Amino acid sequence: MKKTFTCVVCPIGCELHIEFDPEDISPEQIKVSGNSCPRGEKYAKSEIVNPERTLTSTVKLNSKILPVLPVKTDKPISKDKIFDAMHIINGLIVSAPVNAGNVICKDFINKGVNLVACRTVSE
Amino acid sequence: MEQRIKIAIIGGGPAGLAAALGAYESGIKAEDILIIERDSCLGGILNQCIHAGFGLHRFGEELTGPEYAERYIKKVREADIGFITDAMVLALNDNKDITYISPTTGIVHLKAEAVILAMGCRERTRGALNIPGTRPAGIYTAGTAQRFVNIEGYMPGKEVVILGSGDIGLIMARRMTLEGAKVKAVCELMPYSSGLARNIAQCLDDFQIPLMLSHTVVKIHGKERVTGVTIAEVDSSLKPIPDTYKYISCDTLMLSVGLIPENEVSKGADIEIDRVTNGAVVDNFRQTSKSGIFACGNVLHVHDLVDFVSMESELAGRSAAKYVTEGFSGENKSDTVPKGGVRYVVPQKYYGSSIDEKTEFFYRVGKNYRNVSLNVLADGTLILKKKLVRAAPGEMGNISLKGEALDKARKASNLVFTIEEGENV
Amino acid sequence: MIYDVVIIGAGVTGTLLARELTKYKLNICFIDKGPDAANAASRANSGIVHAGFDAKSGSLKAKLNVRGCKMMKRITEELCVGYRNIPSLVLCFSESDRAALNELYERGIKNGVPDLRIVERDELVKLEPNISDKAIAALYAPSAGIVSPYELCIAAGENAVQNGASYIFNYEVKSITENDGIYIVSDGNSNVSARYIVAACGIHCDDIAAMSGDLDFEIIPRKGEYMLFDKSCAGCVRNVLFPLPTKNGKGVLVAPTADGNLIIGPNANVSEKDDTETTACGLNEIYENAVKLVKTLPSLKNVITSFAGQRPTPSTGDFIIKFSAKYKKMLHIAGIESPGLASSPAVAEYAVQLLSQAGLILEPNIKFNPYRKKLIKIRELSDDEKQKYISKNPAYGKIICRCESITEGEIVDAIQRPMGATTIDGVKRRTRAGMGRCQGGFCMPRVTEILSRELKKDMSDIRKYGQDSILLYGKTK
């Protein structure tokens, strides 16, 4: 089976051509071309096996300065869990002070993934 | 109040911050630099760009906008570089006299030895597009909507049509979808998107949002709040085709139809403006037509990637430092000439000498290309050929001259940048 | 409470009349179905103070236009409203049009328009360097001017309120009844009672007249579209340029605005009431017509906004200012189409005379203050004056609207003034915040925040203008 899609790993946006057997989607069996770096190949394979995305959003913040705090997953999470993740995010409340990089939620959606703060808010 | 400063930087967004650090790292004392920022905090538009994708070139990792900004803000604070927020520059003249206003200082007349313009850009609006119809609530530029969602924490709409496929529009399509809105379509007047291919993939395709190329909004409906838009396909001269009119009900029309460098202040100093970029004409030091006034970032030409804004602005900062400490030699400047498919090249002029080992040129092309080459000719002689698998109007390219090519360029009176198509590529 | 006079309609006629009536010891109330003054015709028109040569000699229009034009300078000074005495030029493009030009001149002389004369090409070029190469002569009316129509309307409302008038907005009149010589106005929920009623409600004058059983006139809504250009285009013309009038009106003009923009328009098309849609062909039409008047017109790229307004054209051909046949103390002021803005101060004066003749007792209000509460416009002050205000109140040093240099202090003032702003557009029309080249892209979220803070409302409850013009659908989190 053949597939073509745009690589989202970096702003270059290479057009990736993927050839694979739907019966056997082990990464070593998937052929990738069109990528200009190894990360593209890795991305292409994960798109076939288990598509993942980094999620960014905001959570409610108790602060004098900002009403919402920008957050992100520190690693990509399963693409099909994005809306489940949003559901959890919408229920979170953080209080200032908070530093960029602080973990807001451990083992978020996938084990080993953290939801972290992206901005420092002092009060 | 009267004030004096060595280097004044107008704007505390990514460009202004990097310019300040560029000057500081070139030996200018922290107290001799002043960043004038009109918002209440540093970081500029990055604060509302909460998506990831910044910093791959600059830091080798993918950061969100606030994280990218914070890296620079931290350095500026650690260095103790001067800055003032909530301060708006009202006037600048070619003598480098700045007038600014702020609640804490009142009116300040600031005499600077060098000025760096780093005011960024603003969004084009409905008025500039002349979309007919009513004038209800619910028409937002993508940036305004982004501020409401990401900074204020409010939803500006529930059912959205986006006109224009610039990156902010694409990013907002995803952002609104994640927050529970339904994005019904993204219409793009041109037959190609002006956004990055990866943003079409991860912001539209991931959420099955249709991208309608060669489509525009021909009418806005709704008395008080938007109730819908009429869209139409356009022909090759971009005119709506009558029997393709289609009504889409929605409560929000979001516009992502281009950015314009914010050069109102520059005009007061009578700086020469490039009619293609709408930014200043600069040399390779990023010095404008007025001695000691520099420009960098989106006020100079609209960038797609903040990484390049930072790089360009650091250069402008270093140049300003050189200007106030040793001055520039009076060598003749030569022109860069965009030709055959290349829409513009920045810098537009260059000195035979440079403070760097290499000189970087930024350019944009006028249409989509595949497997072409970008050729650089010094006085008619080819000095560099760069193969491009793809080139698109939405993607700013960069090419650097170094070594032998740079030597040749230095001796030339003009440098032509052109796209070559066909077999020889 | 029973008001002495209730005025239906807070357009420029209504608010100037309210102000005029506060010169006397009277209880005045003006009401409007919209959320603010200057909702309809007074919001969207050319802003021209016509000299008075257009209207048929002997008509009420002619009389009140010439008188109103004369009154405008003083009234705008008292109300702190931008007015500029800018001459009008009606252009003649061919010898065959001479007769029409002369006729206009003769009419103007008969109407009492001062300093009116015909200028030939040589002089015309000096007066207006950007004049079309094809213009051979023009009617020159130096007594004309330009004014911001919504600013005048709001200022008059404010000054009336300062002098004791009441106002009710978002109140749509559904019925008017009489009980023992007292009129009862109702919106279906609450009543307002008055001894005298004045109906000054633009395109809806005939709808209100129907409530009092007056069916002898009709108002035809004629839509006019406009395009407004960036301030950088202001130098395009020095005068207000018109083509020769036709039976459809004065035609598409090219003019500077009181705020330093360039305006072109309007066309004239009969439309549904309250239709303020702009159309592709309408905008095209006005641009094509405007181009004919000048040598060069800025390109469409410089347009910052386009809009449409409706003129209340009377079926009678003249302003209708008369009492109801059934309700003897209800005065109709209807059909105040162009030159309605120029005439408005004189219309107010005339209406007071009529009310007095009908028995309204006019006892001077010695406390009447003709001067509107001082308006601080930071951008127009010297640096020293700016400094003075900022040291007293730092909010005058915080720029919110970058394009027009409007400060937070001015926006807060606009909200706190008499008849203060309650909406985004209300702030915009009082301060110009959001009227610049970015059209509020940057300042709108900030103005929303300030309104929310000052009015103690959630941001979601702030409206662009009307009650259904929702801006935000609640918090994301």
Side-chain angles (χ1 to χ4, degrees), chain C residues 238-254:
Chain C
R238 295 177 184 172
N239 305 274
V240 177
L241 306 188
F242 294 95
L244 274 165
T246 65
K247 64 175 182 359
N248 278 331
K250 298 184 189 73
V252 171
L253 59 81
V254 178

mmCIF file of all heavy atoms in Angstrom, chain C residues 238-254:
data_model
loop_
_atom_site.group_PDB
_atom_site.id
_atom_site.type_symbol
_atom_site.label_atom_id
_atom_site.label_comp_id
_atom_site.label_asym_id
_atom_site.label_seq_id
_atom_site.Cartn_x
_atom_site.Cartn_y
_atom_site.Cartn_z
ATOM 1 N N ARG C 238 -8.809 69.233 -1.391
ATOM 2 C CA ARG C 238 -8.867 70.305 -0.390
ATOM 3 C C ARG C 238 -10.307 70.752 -0.144
ATOM 4 O O ARG C 238 -10.606 71.431 0.811
ATOM 5 C CB ARG C 238 -8.103 71.527 -0.895
ATOM 6 C CG ARG C 238 -6.626 71.298 -1.062
ATOM 7 C CD ARG C 238 -6.022 72.571 -1.626
ATOM 8 N NE ARG C 238 -4.617 72.398 -1.903
ATOM 9 C CZ ARG C 238 -3.881 73.296 -2.536
ATOM 10 N NH1 ARG C 238 -4.439 74.428 -2.964
ATOM 11 N NH2 ARG C 238 -2.610 73.078 -2.758
ATOM 12 N N ASN C 239 -11.189 70.467 -1.119
ATOM 13 C CA ASN C 239 -12.582 70.894 -1.053
ATOM 14 C C ASN C 239 -13.479 69.674 -1.121
ATOM 15 O O ASN C 239 -13.018 68.568 -1.383
ATOM 16 C CB ASN C 239 -12.905 71.795 -2.244
ATOM 17 C CG ASN C 239 -11.960 72.971 -2.346
ATOM 18 O OD1 ASN C 239 -12.177 74.008 -1.730
ATOM 19 N ND2 ASN C 239 -10.867 72.811 -3.096
ATOM 20 N N VAL C 240 -14.765 69.941 -0.929
ATOM 21 C CA VAL C 240 -15.731 68.868 -1.131
ATOM 22 C C VAL C 240 -16.162 68.940 -2.596
ATOM 23 O O VAL C 240 -16.664 69.964 -3.044
ATOM 24 C CB VAL C 240 -16.948 69.041 -0.203
ATOM 25 C CG1 VAL C 240 -17.976 67.955 -0.483
ATOM 26 C CG2 VAL C 240 -16.506 69.010 1.257
ATOM 27 N N LEU C 241 -15.926 67.873 -3.340
ATOM 28 C CA LEU C 241 -16.212 67.883 -4.773
ATOM 29 C C LEU C 241 -17.488 67.117 -5.086
ATOM 30 O O LEU C 241 -17.647 65.970 -4.662
ATOM 31 C CB LEU C 241 -15.059 67.244 -5.553
ATOM 32 C CG LEU C 241 -13.655 67.781 -5.324
ATOM 33 C CD1 LEU C 241 -12.678 67.152 -6.325
ATOM 34 C CD2 LEU C 241 -13.620 69.294 -5.443
ATOM 35 N N PHE C 242 -18.376 67.778 -5.831
ATOM 36 C CA PHE C 242 -19.616 67.139 -6.279
ATOM 37 C C PHE C 242 -19.703 67.179 -7.792
ATOM 38 O O PHE C 242 -19.209 68.117 -8.409
ATOM 39 C CB PHE C 242 -20.850 67.929 -5.791
ATOM 40 C CG PHE C 242 -21.062 67.962 -4.319
ATOM 41 C CD1 PHE C 242 -20.579 69.024 -3.557
ATOM 42 C CD2 PHE C 242 -21.776 66.963 -3.691
ATOM 43 C CE1 PHE C 242 -20.807 69.079 -2.201
ATOM 44 C CE2 PHE C 242 -22.012 67.022 -2.321
ATOM 45 C CZ PHE C 242 -21.519 68.081 -1.569
ATOM 46 N N PRO C 243 -20.406 66.214 -8.375
ATOM 47 C CA PRO C 243 -20.820 66.387 -9.765
ATOM 48 C C PRO C 243 -22.084 67.254 -9.749
ATOM 49 O O PRO C 243 -22.594 67.579 -8.672
ATOM 50 C CB PRO C 243 -21.143 64.962 -10.210
ATOM 51 C CG PRO C 243 -21.603 64.285 -8.959
ATOM 52 C CD PRO C 243 -20.868 64.941 -7.812
ATOM 53 N N LEU C 244 -22.604 67.590 -10.902
ATOM 54 C CA LEU C 244 -23.884 68.300 -10.928
ATOM 55 C C LEU C 244 -24.975 67.361 -10.408
ATOM 56 O O LEU C 244 -24.950 66.168 -10.691
ATOM 57 C CB LEU C 244 -24.208 68.743 -12.352
ATOM 58 C CG LEU C 244 -23.610 70.090 -12.749
ATOM 59 C CD1 LEU C 244 -23.676 70.268 -14.257
ATOM 60 C CD2 LEU C 244 -24.319 71.243 -12.042
ATOM 61 N N PRO C 245 -25.918 67.899 -9.633
ATOM 62 C CA PRO C 245 -26.959 67.006 -9.088
ATOM 63 C C PRO C 245 -27.874 66.472 -10.178
ATOM 64 O O PRO C 245 -28.038 67.083 -11.229
ATOM 65 C CB PRO C 245 -27.729 67.918 -8.128
ATOM 66 C CG PRO C 245 -27.425 69.305 -8.544
ATOM 67 C CD PRO C 245 -26.080 69.283 -9.192
ATOM 68 N N THR C 246 -28.457 65.307 -9.899
ATOM 69 C CA THR C 246 -29.459 64.740 -10.800
ATOM 70 C C THR C 246 -30.736 64.558 -9.984
ATOM 71 O O THR C 246 -30.755 64.896 -8.801
ATOM 72 C CB THR C 246 -29.016 63.360 -11.333
ATOM 73 O OG1 THR C 246 -28.968 62.468 -10.209
ATOM 74 C CG2 THR C 246 -27.662 63.420 -11.992
ATOM 75 N N LYS C 247 -31.746 63.986 -10.601
ATOM 76 C CA LYS C 247 -32.994 63.804 -9.849
ATOM 77 C C LYS C 247 -32.816 62.807 -8.690
ATOM 78 O O LYS C 247 -33.595 62.778 -7.755
ATOM 79 C CB LYS C 247 -34.140 63.393 -10.778
ATOM 80 C CG LYS C 247 -33.968 62.047 -11.465
ATOM 81 C CD LYS C 247 -35.242 61.741 -12.234
ATOM 82 C CE LYS C 247 -35.306 60.433 -12.958
ATOM 83 N NZ LYS C 247 -34.221 59.499 -12.961
ATOM 84 N N ASN C 248 -31.733 62.027 -8.740
ATOM 85 C CA ASN C 248 -31.467 61.061 -7.672
ATOM 86 C C ASN C 248 -30.710 61.657 -6.496
ATOM 87 O O ASN C 248 -30.426 60.970 -5.530
ATOM 88 C CB ASN C 248 -30.675 59.883 -8.215
ATOM 89 C CG ASN C 248 -31.588 58.894 -8.893
ATOM 90 O OD1 ASN C 248 -32.750 58.784 -8.531
ATOM 91 N ND2 ASN C 248 -31.071 58.204 -9.890
ATOM 92 N N GLY C 249 -30.312 62.916 -6.635
ATOM 93 C CA GLY C 249 -29.592 63.509 -5.523
ATOM 94 C C GLY C 249 -28.320 64.186 -5.968
ATOM 95 O O GLY C 249 -28.125 64.456 -7.156
ATOM 96 N N LYS C 250 -27.475 64.414 -4.968
ATOM 97 C CA LYS C 250 -26.280 65.224 -5.235
ATOM 98 C C LYS C 250 -25.161 64.427 -5.890
ATOM 99 O O LYS C 250 -24.159 64.991 -6.293
ATOM 100 C CB LYS C 250 -25.802 65.847 -3.933
ATOM 101 C CG LYS C 250 -26.832 66.782 -3.317
ATOM 102 C CD LYS C 250 -26.287 67.458 -2.087
ATOM 103 C CE LYS C 250 -27.378 68.222 -1.358
ATOM 104 N NZ LYS C 250 -28.326 67.304 -0.666
ATOM 105 N N GLY C 251 -25.304 63.131 -5.957
ATOM 106 C CA GLY C 251 -24.293 62.321 -6.634
ATOM 107 C C GLY C 251 -23.131 61.954 -5.730
ATOM 108 O O GLY C 251 -23.098 62.304 -4.554
ATOM 109 N N VAL C 252 -22.189 61.213 -6.302
ATOM 110 C CA VAL C 252 -21.039 60.722 -5.538
ATOM 111 C C VAL C 252 -20.039 61.852 -5.339
ATOM 112 O O VAL C 252 -19.604 62.485 -6.298
ATOM 113 C CB VAL C 252 -20.371 59.546 -6.273
ATOM 114 C CG1 VAL C 252 -19.049 59.165 -5.619
ATOM 115 C CG2 VAL C 252 -21.316 58.351 -6.298
ATOM 116 N N LEU C 253 -19.672 62.085 -4.095
ATOM 117 C CA LEU C 253 -18.724 63.157 -3.798
ATOM 118 C C LEU C 253 -17.369 62.581 -3.404
ATOM 119 O O LEU C 253 -17.244 61.402 -3.066
ATOM 120 C CB LEU C 253 -19.277 64.042 -2.675
ATOM 121 C CG LEU C 253 -19.589 63.394 -1.325
ATOM 122 C CD1 LEU C 253 -18.361 63.221 -0.461
ATOM 123 C CD2 LEU C 253 -20.606 64.237 -0.578
ATOM 124 N N VAL C 254 -16.380 63.435 -3.456
ATOM 125 C CA VAL C 254 -15.049 63.118 -2.932
ATOM 126 C C VAL C 254 -14.758 64.209 -1.912
ATOM 127 O O VAL C 254 -14.826 65.396 -2.255
ATOM 128 C CB VAL C 254 -13.975 63.139 -4.038
ATOM 129 C CG1 VAL C 254 -12.589 62.854 -3.453
ATOM 130 C CG2 VAL C 254 -14.300 62.121 -5.123
#
